[in-house]
Amino acid sequence: MGLAAAAAVLVAVPGGLVVKSQAAAAEREAEKKSLEQAAEEVFQRRADAPGASWRKYAPAAGRVWNQADARAVVHQVKRKGGQFIVNVDEITTPYTSDTYGRKLIPDTPYAGSHRFVFERDGGDWRLVQDLTDQLTK
């Protein structure tokens, strides 16, 4: 049973309004975490791309670029119909290694703020639009 259904069932009992409110808050938090994971996947795909911005810079002497790890932190979610407008921070840490792919060393992380629009796509999220340029206006 989903959280919303559980809240609907529990409303019939005394104190149900409190339980419903707690269930709604738990559902919003789960939704936020799910959107955070979706944004992280967007950042990771960008970081893994051969033309990723962090690969444009020369690594330290004797080192080669190896991989990057992206993280997301959601700060705000606004729902407009079936769309979710998400303000999220990205932290992507590139790693260098020796020429054999060993001895990973983190490089200077990249951090940035983004605004994405997501829609539900079955049980997953689909990035509909990148509104990051609106953050500077």
Side-chain angles (χ1 to χ4, degrees):
M1 176 180 337
L3 291 176
V9 170
L10 294 172
V11 170
V13 300
L17 293 178
V18 172
V19 173
K20 183 178 180 181
S21 175
Q22 290 171 342
E27 190 170 317
R28 281 191 306 275
E29 184 61 28
E31 198 168 68
K32 179 182 171 185
K33 287 291 182 194
S34 179
L35 285 161
E36 199 165 75
Q37 182 177 356
E40 198 164 279
E41 289 170 6
V42 170
F43 297 144
Q44 190 65 53
R45 275 193 306 274
R46 291 178 179 179
D48 290 342
S53 60
W54 57 272
R55 292 184 185 273
K56 294 176 186 174
Y57 304 98
R63 310 287 299 165
V64 295
W65 289 122
N66 188 296
Q67 66 186 44
D69 290 327
R71 292 182 322 182
V73 178
V74 169
H75 295 286
Q76 184 179 32
V77 178
K78 290 183 185 176
R79 186 175 188 165
K80 277 191 169 180
Q83 294 188 331
F84 294 77
I85 302 167
V86 180
N87 288 350
V88 58
D89 286 343
E90 169 191 9
I91 303 167
T92 298
T93 304
Y95 289 81
T96 61
S97 67
D98 62 17
T99 55
Y100 299 105
R102 299 180 307 226
K103 299 180 184 174
L104 288 177
I105 298 175
D107 205 77
T108 305
Y110 162 82
S113 295
H114 301 269
R115 179 174 290 153
F116 293 148
V117 179
F118 287 100
E119 287 181 348
R120 283 271 185 207
D121 187 14
D124 294 326
W125 294 102
R126 179 172 59 90
L127 178 63
V128 177
Q129 195 172 7
D130 184 344
L131 300 176
T132 299
D133 59 340
Q134 288 184 0
L135 293 174
T136 57
K137 294 179 181 177

